[in-house]
Amino acid sequence: MNTDIVFEMTSHSTEKENTAIIILGASGDLAFKKTYPALFGLFKNDFLPKSCQIIGYARSEIKLDEFKKRITSKIKVSDEDKAVLERFLEICTYCSGSYDKKESFQNLDKFVTNLEGEDDRKKNRIFYMALPPTVFISASEGLKENVYSKKGDNRLIVEKPFGKDFDSSRVLSRALSKHWKEDEIYRIDHYLGKEMVKNLMMLRFGNVIFGAVWNRYYISNVQITFKEVIGTEGRGGYFNEFGIIRDIMQNHLFQILSIVAMGRPVTLDAEDVRNEKVKVLRSIKPLSIDDVLLGQYTRSADGKNKGYKDDEGVPQDSYTATFAAAVFNIANERWDGVPFILKCGKALDEAKAEDVPGSIYPGLARNELVIRIQPKEAVYMKVMNKEPGLSNAAVISELDLSYTDRYSLSRIPDAYESLILDVLKGEKSNFVRDDELDAAWKIFTPVLHQIEKEKIKPELYEFGSRGPASLSRWIENHGYKRTHGYQWKSTKL
């Protein structure tokens, strides 16, 4: 019987080293919502280097007290943690300057050097560019020419988006490679830091039972789903420039696809792992418009939630998709003929259920292995079971590993915590390599250009619905049917 796979979405330094973490764009939303809370989490759990300084850098002239107040606004602490937060703030400083002026970066270098001190310790510098793409190139050049440490290791963290298509991505990659070596660049996709995504390698290659059936002979199709219950909510102007395919599918979901589909790496070394991911991506032909379903949300049925075009900055004639489903086929021996169905969207509902035909027992559903990435992390297998009693009625049940139940005493770190720790350790397997980026953009660029050139209109769907009305039929046409009436007991999906 075929099975479906459905995705739902220690300090390592010594006292002889000094590490400076420079956050560029420190006054922006990403920095105070994600970066600083992640750094505090590492500090609290004693994962930051012993001699560490965190320097915020941005164009805004902000007094240090006001800056510290801002960066702690999204850090949740208990009464017991308040003293820890105060110690964390002691290593946080701020320096203002431009992203395209040599003098500003020279001033930043003096600022960092003064914090490092005049001693013989190794001076490591980590540059986190929490910046808009428009200043990536100038900032990376300014850092290399003026702030690059000559007495230690240098690492550059680059946030997505990595371009808008293949050509713009190559321009960015070439500009970075002019000044930085590939092994110094860490392209961060925070989905690669999520616990369940990092667990995929262990699940696949650490369990013989899965390794034996992880191929086209036993797996009917793979679904990778990302659902948000919120809309763009004030980010409509930014989102309108990129759309859901660039924002979610081309990076987050494709990273998951590559890990699910990759062959077994020779070792767990970063280069061996990423080599296998690139092989998979190069086996996927460019996406066709016939294999894509686009949607855009409107007001909710009760009128309480605004539609996408009601968001500030969104043109009334916008055809930008807020929902997308696409099917991919991997032309290799392991996966030939198995559709990989990717779905992502905003302003959706939370309910989810599935149905596929069975075997010698009439009306049975196919088995499904579900890896729930967020929220409420879990791995569970949907299986057919005889209902207890005198009848022979079959019911869907599950073999369930819910993390909240099994690992109730364990803390699952934020994805950014995990990835920043990887940077500190020099571990690159959870970051995107340049050729991996090229291979992914080659798959998506033709259809993205076609959508924009022909101004293909997305199907409208109400805020809070499952998405476009044609979604179920579209998915069935690609080999998957939903099982109505089944709901996983551990959470409301």
Side-chain angles (χ1 to χ4, degrees):
M1 182 187 297
N2 278 353
T3 299
D4 299 321
I5 299 182
V6 183
F7 280 78
E8 300 185 279
M9 280 305 93
T10 286
S11 174
H12 292 267
S13 70
T14 69
E15 293 297 334
K16 296 182 180 179
E17 295 184 8
N18 183 292
T19 300
I21 303 174
I22 299 100
I23 314 295
L24 289 89
S27 64
D29 282 358
L30 176 64
F32 84 88
K33 288 181 178 178
K34 295 294 184 181
T35 313
Y36 277 95
L39 288 168
F40 173 70
L42 293 174
F43 178 85
K44 175 185 172 182
N45 292 285
D46 200 28
F47 282 111
L48 287 185
K50 297 300 180 185
S51 296
C52 179
Q53 294 290 332
I54 302 171
I55 301 97
Y57 181 82
R59 287 182 289 226
S60 305
E61 293 187 7
I62 309 173
K63 292 183 179 179
L64 184 57
D65 287 345
E66 197 61 36
F67 176 70
K68 289 184 177 182
K69 183 178 179 181
R70 179 175 175 81
I71 62 176
T72 56
S73 63
K74 296 297 181 180
I75 298 177
K76 298 178 181 179
V77 294
S78 62
D79 290 338
E80 299 172 350
D81 290 338
K82 288 181 178 179
V84 181
L85 181 60
E86 289 302 316
R87 294 201 305 273
F88 172 71
L89 291 176
E90 289 174 4
I91 65 171
C92 295
T93 54
Y94 182 78
C95 175
S96 63
S98 173
Y99 298 125
D100 57 2
K101 293 182 180 178
K102 181 178 181 180
E103 296 78 11
S104 293
F105 285 109
Q106 290 175 337
N107 182 55
L108 174 61
D109 182 61
K110 292 176 183 177
F111 190 90
V112 177
T113 300
N114 183 57
L115 290 172
E116 291 172 331
E118 299 290 337
D119 54 43
D120 295 330
R121 288 183 297 175
K122 187 178 180 182
K123 315 293 187 185
N124 301 321
R125 292 183 180 179
I126 294 173
F127 304 98
Y128 193 127
M129 296 210 300
L131 297 170
T134 52
V135 294
F136 274 1
I137 295 175
S138 61
S140 66
E141 291 176 354
L143 290 171
K144 178 59 188 292
E145 293 173 357
N146 302 285
V147 201
Y148 192 86
S149 175
K150 298 178 177 62
K151 299 179 180 179
D153 298 327
N154 294 270
R155 290 163 189 166
L156 181 73
I157 303 175
V158 183
E159 276 277 358
K160 78 173 186 73
F162 311 119
K164 292 184 66 178
D165 56 15
F166 178 78
D167 290 337
S168 59
S169 175
R170 287 299 297 272
V171 168
L172 177 59
S173 292
R174 287 170 179 166
L176 289 176
S177 65
K178 281 177 61 178
H179 299 274
W180 297 82
K181 293 178 286 188
E182 179 61 26
D183 61 6
E184 293 176 322
I185 302 171
Y186 290 72
R187 297 175 188 83
I188 193 169
D189 183 325
H190 75 274
Y191 257 60
L192 289 175
K194 290 186 177 293
E195 181 67 25
M196 296 307 294
V197 176
K198 298 185 85 167
N199 187 41
L200 279 172
M201 291 274 291
M202 177 66 74
L203 190 70
R204 282 200 56 194
F205 303 116
N207 296 286
V208 175
I209 186 173
F210 290 135
V213 298
W214 211 271
N215 55 58
R216 61 192 173 100
Y217 300 108
Y218 297 96
I219 294 175
S220 172
N221 66 79
V222 177
Q223 285 198 60
I224 304 174
T225 302
F226 174 94
K227 301 175 73 172
E228 275 191 313
V229 296
I230 61 173
T232 51
E233 298 189 348
R235 294 178 63 248
Y238 165 83
F239 185 85
N240 201 66
E241 183 182 353
F242 293 94
I244 196 72
I245 292 179
R246 289 185 176 96
D247 194 44
I248 301 295
M249 186 179 289
Q250 185 272 340
N251 40 74
H252 299 334
L253 301 195
F254 238 54
Q255 284 298 323
I256 297 173
L257 178 150
S258 64
I259 298 173
V260 173
M262 64 184 276
R264 179 172 179 157
V266 177
T267 71
L268 292 177
D269 178 77
E271 294 309 299
D272 287 336
V273 171
R274 296 191 293 183
N275 285 343
E276 294 300 325
K277 291 170 69 179
V278 171
K279 286 180 185 178
V280 168
L281 296 179
R282 288 176 175 170
S283 299
I284 303 174
K285 68 179 182 180
L287 189 60
S288 164
I289 193 64
D290 295 331
D291 292 326
V292 178
L293 174 64
L294 302 174
Q296 184 186 90
Y297 71 88
T298 60
R299 282 180 176 271
S300 59
D302 58 12
K304 292 181 179 179
N305 298 107
K306 295 179 179 180
Y308 174 64
K309 291 182 182 178
D310 298 322
D311 203 349
E312 185 178 352
V314 178
Q316 288 304 299
D317 61 350
S318 172
Y319 54 87
T320 298
T322 60
F323 175 95
V327 61
F328 302 85
N329 291 284
I330 302 173
N332 63 19
E333 184 178 4
R334 180 188 292 270
W335 297 113
D336 191 30
V338 177
F340 280 68
I341 301 171
L342 275 57
K343 298 178 292 180
C344 52
K346 293 181 174 292
L348 300 174
D349 66 333
E350 291 183 289
K352 185 171 179 61
E354 305 85 11
D355 178 52
V356 191
S359 62
I360 62 172
Y361 290 97
L364 295 191
R366 278 201 297 247
N367 302 131
E368 289 181 0
L369 173 64
V370 181
I371 297 136
R372 188 171 174 84
I373 295 168
Q374 66 176 27
K376 297 184 179 179
E377 294 84 353
V379 180
Y380 62 96
M381 172 74 83
K382 294 182 184 179
V383 297
M384 297 308 301
N385 192 52
K386 188 184 90 65
E387 188 172 19
L390 298 177
S391 75
N392 286 320
V395 293
I396 302 175
S397 188
E398 68 280 317
L399 304 176
D400 185 4
L401 170 57
S402 297
Y403 272 44
T404 52
D405 297 332
R406 179 64 178 83
Y407 303 111
S408 58
L409 300 179
S410 299
R411 173 183 176 270
I412 296 179
D414 176 77
Y416 280 91
E417 283 184 51
S418 179
L419 292 175
I420 292 173
L421 180 59
D422 282 345
V423 176
L424 290 167
K425 296 186 322 188
E427 169 55 56
K428 297 205 68 175
S429 60
N430 294 309
F431 294 86
V432 184
R433 201 168 64 187
D434 56 349
D435 57 343
E436 186 180 347
L437 196 59
D438 285 350
W441 274 123
K442 284 180 180 178
I443 295 166
F444 284 93
T445 294
V447 76
L448 288 170
H449 285 181
Q450 183 180 355
I451 291 170
E452 289 160 358
K453 182 180 179 180
E454 299 178 10
K455 296 186 177 181
I456 297 173
K457 292 184 178 181
E459 182 180 338
L460 301 180
Y461 64 95
E462 288 183 351
F463 193 115
S465 66
R466 285 191 64 245
S470 63
L471 177 61
S472 293
R473 185 175 65 254
W474 185 90
I475 293 176
E476 286 180 17
N477 290 339
H478 290 97
Y480 181 79
K481 293 176 63 179
R482 300 177 63 229
T483 304
H484 297 279
Y486 173 79
Q487 185 167 329
W488 179 41
K489 65 178 178 59
S490 295
T491 186
K492 180 183 178 183
L493 295 182

